[in-house]
Amino acid sequence: MSDELPAWEKAREEFVAQWGSLGTQWGINRTMAMIHALLMTSPEPMCTDEVMEKLQISRGNAHTNLKDLVGWNLVRIITKKGDRKEYFEAEKDVWKIFITISKERKRREIEPAIRLLRDCAAQTKDETTGPGRDFHQQMKDLDEFLSFGVKVGDTVISMKHASALQWAMRLLG
Amino acid sequence: MSDELPAWEKAREEFVAQWGSLGTQWGINRTMAMIHALLMTSPEPMCTDEVMEKLQISRGNAHTNLKDLVGWNLVRIITKKGDRKEYFEAEKDVWKIFITISKERKRREIEPAIRLLRDCAAQTKDETTGPGRDFHQQMKDLDEFLSFGVKVGDTVISMKHASALQWAMRLLG
DNA sequence: CTGAAGTTTCAGAACTTACTGAAACACATG
DNA sequence: CATGTGTTTCAGTAAGTTCTGAAACTTCAG
C-alpha cells in the first residue's frame, strides 16, 4: 500500500479510526461515525466510491450510512453540473454541528422519554397514598426535569454562536 | 401469573420496559436501563433475587448490571444488619441523577474525544498551508468547542439545584 | 430503443454484544 | 472444619446489529 501519505493524512486516519470507536460509545454505529469524521476533514466533497475506497467498505454499507448522515442533517448532497454522481459534504462549523445533533437527539431520545413519563403519570394520577403516589411523583419529577431541559436547550440552540458564547462566559465569569 | 397487581404497578411495568428500549438508543444496554428504572421506582431497596424475579433474568446478568450501575454511581449498595444480603438502592433525586450522569459521560465520552483531538492537532501543528492547515484548524475548533462545553458543564454541575434553576430561568426569561 | 453509468435494495454472512446457567469462591456459624 | 448462605466468574450460547455483494432499478446519451 502507499506510504506516500502527507503527514496530515496520517493524523487524519487516526482521527477517523478513533472517532469511529468513540462513536460506538455514543450509541452511533462505527461506520457512520467514521464517514462523518472523514467528510468533516475532507477538503472536497466525496462521492460514494471515494468513501468506499478510503474506508475499505462495501457500496451498500457506504450508501446506507451516507444516507443516514444526510437524515441526521450532518451531511448534504452536492451535485456537480455535467456529472451525474452525487457528492457528499459534511457541515464543518462546530456550532452548527452541535445544533444539528442537539435537535436530532431531542427528537429521537428526549421527546419519546417525555411521552412515556407523561403516560405513566397520567395512569397513576388518582393514586394518593403510599408507593402509588410516590411513583406518580417520580414520573412527574422526571417529566418536569426533562421538559425544562428541553426548554433551556431550545433557547440555546436558537442563539447565534456569538450570543451563546457571551452568555456562557457570563456564567463562567 | 398474578394479575393482582395494584394499578400503579402496571404503569411501573410499562415504565421499566419502555425505559429499557429508550436506553438502547442512548447507547445503554437494555437490561441496565431496566434495572435502573426498576430501582428508581422501588419503594424499598431490592436484592439481586428480587431483581431477577421482577425482570425474569439470570443471576449473572442481574449481578453484572447491578455492579455496572454501582460503577456509574447511580445505585448504591445497602446492607442491613443481621442480613448478609446486599440490597441496591437507586438515587431518586432528579438533579443528582443528572449530575452523576453528566460527570460519567464527561469522563467516558468527552474526555477521550478531547485527548484524540489534541493528539491530532499536535501531530499537525507544523502544517501551515492547504488541507493540512485546514485539518489542524478543524481539530482545534472541535477541541476548543468541547473543552468550552466541559467548562460550562462543570460550572452547572457544581451548582445547587436551586441556583441552577434560577440561572436557567434568567436565560429563558 | 439500447447500452453505459450511477444508485438503491436486500438476503444472508460476519461480527459484536448480551445472557444464561452452573461451577467456583468467600465467609460466617455451630 | 463441615455446612449453609450468599456472591462472583466465565465458557458457551443466543440475540442483535452491521456489512457484503450481487441483482434490480433509474437515468441519460446516442
Side-chain angles (χ1 to χ4, degrees):
Chain A
M1 303 298 286
S2 67
D3 291 276
E4 308 310 314
L5 288 175
W8 80 273
E9 291 260 15
K10 284 274 184 209
R12 184 190 186 190
E13 289 194 349
E14 182 190 338
F15 174 64
V16 169
Q18 293 281 117
W19 200 252
S21 313
L22 288 170
T24 58
Q25 298 215 303
W26 262 86
I28 288 167
N29 115 19
R30 177 188 253 76
T31 309
M32 181 164 148
M34 287 172 83
I35 296 180
H36 186 226
L38 190 68
L39 292 177
M40 267 201 305
T41 55
S42 175
E44 300 294 335
M46 296 173 76
C47 66
T48 306
D49 295 77
E50 288 166 337
V51 172
M52 288 165 62
E53 149 80 33
K54 270 278 186 192
L55 301 182
Q56 294 290 311
I57 58 175
S58 73
R59 180 170 304 282
N61 194 10
H63 176 78
T64 307
N65 283 293
L66 281 165
K67 286 302 158 85
D68 282 355
L69 282 165
V70 171
W72 271 78
N73 285 315
L74 286 169
V75 165
R76 58 180 158 271
I77 297 172
I78 302 283
T79 44
K80 306 185 178 178
K81 49 194 143 213
D83 184 349
R84 271 165 53 207
K85 266 215 220 36
E86 294 191 324
Y87 291 83
F88 299 89
E89 177 180 67
E91 175 58 57
K92 292 187 182 181
D93 182 287
V94 182
W95 181 248
K96 285 189 189 155
I97 295 172
F98 169 71
I99 291 188
T100 299
I101 292 178
S102 302
K103 281 184 183 159
E104 286 295 318
R105 291 188 87 98
K106 180 179 106 182
R107 192 172 66 72
R108 296 170 190 231
E109 295 166 9
I110 311 294
E111 285 173 356
I114 291 177
R115 262 180 262 128
L116 171 63
L117 293 164
R118 291 199 178 154
D119 179 28
C120 291
Q123 280 182 49
T124 50
K125 67 171 181 307
D126 298 332
E127 303 274 350
T128 50
T129 57
R133 207 205 72 92
D134 293 345
F135 176 82
H136 178 72
Q137 190 58 43
Q138 182 75 8
M139 294 299 103
K140 271 177 58 181
D141 288 351
L142 283 163
D143 173 18
E144 195 189 344
F145 184 80
L146 288 186
S147 299
F148 190 71
V150 165
K151 249 174 145 177
V152 173
D154 283 348
T155 306
V156 173
I157 67 185
S158 73
M159 290 165 98
K160 289 259 174 17
H161 188 186
S163 338
L165 250 175
Q166 199 176 14
W167 156 78
M169 289 306 294
R170 201 169 329 124
L171 175 68
L172 296 177
Chain B
M1 303 295 287
S2 69
D3 290 277
E4 309 309 316
L5 288 175
W8 80 274
E9 292 261 15
K10 284 274 183 212
R12 184 189 187 191
E13 289 194 350
E14 183 190 338
F15 174 64
V16 169
Q18 293 282 117
W19 199 253
S21 311
L22 288 170
T24 59
Q25 298 214 304
W26 261 86
I28 288 167
N29 113 20
R30 176 188 255 77
T31 309
M32 182 164 147
M34 287 172 84
I35 296 181
H36 186 225
L38 190 68
L39 292 177
M40 268 201 305
T41 55
S42 175
E44 300 294 335
M46 297 175 76
C47 65
T48 306
D49 295 77
E50 288 166 337
V51 172
M52 287 165 63
E53 149 80 34
K54 270 277 187 192
L55 301 181
Q56 295 290 311
I57 58 176
S58 73
R59 180 171 305 282
N61 193 12
H63 177 79
T64 308
N65 284 293
L66 281 166
K67 286 302 157 85
D68 282 355
L69 282 165
V70 172
W72 271 77
N73 285 313
L74 287 168
V75 166
R76 57 181 158 272
I77 298 173
I78 304 283
T79 44
K80 306 186 178 177
K81 47 195 149 213
D83 184 349
R84 269 166 54 206
K85 266 217 219 39
E86 294 191 325
Y87 291 82
F88 299 90
E89 177 180 66
E91 175 58 58
K92 293 187 181 181
D93 181 286
V94 181
W95 180 248
K96 285 190 187 154
I97 295 172
F98 169 71
I99 292 189
T100 299
I101 292 179
S102 303
K103 281 184 182 160
E104 286 295 319
R105 291 189 86 99
K106 181 180 106 182
R107 191 171 67 72
R108 296 171 189 230
E109 295 167 8
I110 312 294
E111 285 173 355
I114 291 177
R115 262 179 261 127
L116 171 64
L117 293 163
R118 291 199 179 154
D119 178 28
C120 291
Q123 279 183 49
T124 50
K125 67 172 181 306
D126 298 331
E127 303 274 350
T128 49
T129 56
R133 207 204 71 91
D134 292 345
F135 176 82
H136 179 72
Q137 191 58 44
Q138 182 76 6
M139 294 299 103
K140 273 176 56 181
D141 288 351
L142 284 163
D143 173 18
E144 195 188 346
F145 184 79
L146 288 187
S147 300
F148 190 72
V150 165
K151 250 173 143 177
V152 174
D154 283 347
T155 305
V156 173
I157 66 185
S158 73
M159 290 165 100
K160 291 259 173 18
H161 189 184
S163 337
L165 250 175
Q166 198 178 13
W167 155 79
M169 289 307 294
R170 201 169 330 124
L171 175 68
L172 296 178

